[in-house]
Amino acid sequence: MRITVFGANGPTGRLLTGQALAAGHQVTAVTRQPDSFPLHHDCLEVVGADVLDPMAVDAAVAERDAVMSTLGVPAGKKPISTYSRGVTNILAAMDRHRVCRLAVVSSTGVAPHSYSDGGFLFNRVLLPYVTRVLGKTLYDDMRRMEALVRASDLDWTIVRPNGLYHLESPTDYALVEGHADGRFTARADLAASMLAMLNDDRYLRTTVSVITTVDNPTLFQWIRREVLAKN
């Protein structure tokens, strides 16, 4: 298939691009910093473009079979609109060029639930702080993005991972419609689940959670590797 990946230069986008190329697809990787994109392949086209630029998005979507968005924005207190504005441009381009298949990465943080193995610290302290304070503007914009996707006539899937962490390659993961009782998602599994959806109609026009079921870190390992390492 001919696939366009928005947010291709992020951690998940790079994995998704690499997995798609390994599976034999033709990939258009869209990034604002094409010179820093690390992958090279005969079936790869790296496009320097901003998802907030409607004309650039239109060109990246034309003549493709599927579009996948792994856009990521750092959490902060300032208003965020990248997800909703970006997907508005993507939806318009897909409609114009009659491209039907869309998968977008959102987050379980848009509809937080307690977890059976979360414990008091995670469920009552960390989760509310992340979703209601630290990431409030981010999750608000993800909700706007999800609403726009659901209102479209496309064959869409909204993919919600949980706490993301790094593994070199895909492992065992579960896809669950709605909420999944698992706190962590390996980026490699998130990418693999999105790629698998290209040949699976079970999750059309559905919101799914993807969780990794093996090799998960502890909460403190996750904080050390994924949170503190970025600061």
Side-chain angles (χ1 to χ4, degrees), residues 74-76 126 129-130 134 222-231:
L126 183 61
Y129 175 72
V130 169
L134 180 63
W222 180 78
I223 291 174
R224 185 174 68 250
R225 296 174 187 173
E226 298 293 332
V227 180
L228 298 181
K230 296 178 181 179
N231 298 326

Side-chain angles (χ1 to χ4, degrees), residues 14-223:
R14 291 179 180 181
L15 290 167
L16 176 58
T17 300
Q19 291 180 21
L21 292 169
H25 299 293
Q26 297 181 34
V27 182
T28 299
V30 182
T31 170
R32 291 183 299 170
Q33 299 176 323
D35 293 340
S36 68
F37 195 71
L39 303 181
H40 303 276
H41 196 282
D42 290 343
C43 293
L44 173 66
E45 178 187 11
V46 181
V47 174
D50 192 325
V51 73
L52 303 183
D53 181 344
M55 293 184 65
V57 171
D58 187 86
V61 168
E63 300 182 358
R64 302 323 193 265
D65 300 309
V67 174
M68 296 191 167
S69 172
T70 60
L71 293 171
V73 179
K77 294 184 178 180
K78 294 183 179 180
I80 291 173
S81 60
T82 301
Y83 296 101
S84 56
R85 290 172 61 196
V87 86
T88 295
N89 292 334
I90 291 170
L91 293 172
M94 292 181 69
D95 182 65
R96 188 176 302 113
H97 295 286
R98 298 182 179 181
V99 180
C100 293
R101 191 68 177 101
L102 172 67
V104 299
V105 174
S106 182
S107 171
T108 57
V110 303
H113 290 75
S114 296
Y115 295 88
S116 60
D117 67 340
F120 180 85
L121 177 62
F122 187 88
N123 287 332
R124 299 298 181 89
V125 180
L126 183 61
L127 186 61
Y129 175 72
V130 169
T131 58
R132 300 175 189 173
V133 181
L134 180 63
K136 183 181 185 303
T137 58
L138 183 148
Y139 294 122
D140 284 347
D141 195 42
M142 280 188 171
R143 292 185 189 98
R144 291 190 289 268
M145 174 189 71
E146 288 194 2
L148 290 166
V149 171
R150 290 194 189 95
S152 75
D153 295 326
L154 301 177
D155 292 334
W156 54 264
T157 306
I158 295 169
V159 188
R160 292 176 175 175
N162 217 318
L164 290 166
Y165 69 100
H166 179 72
L167 288 178
E168 291 293 337
S169 57
T171 59
D172 290 330
Y173 62 87
L175 278 174
V176 179
E177 187 171 346
H179 172 69
D181 191 22
R183 291 183 290 160
F184 300 106
T185 308
R187 294 182 182 90
D189 291 338
L190 172 59
S193 71
M194 296 179 71
L195 195 59
M197 290 175 189
L198 293 177
N199 298 311
D200 189 343
D201 292 339
R202 288 178 296 170
Y203 302 108
L204 294 182
R205 303 185 66 80
T206 302
T207 300
V208 297
S209 296
V210 54
I211 56 171
T212 296
T213 55
V214 299
D215 295 331
N216 281 315
T218 66
L219 175 59
F220 293 105
Q221 287 173 334
W222 180 78
I223 291 174

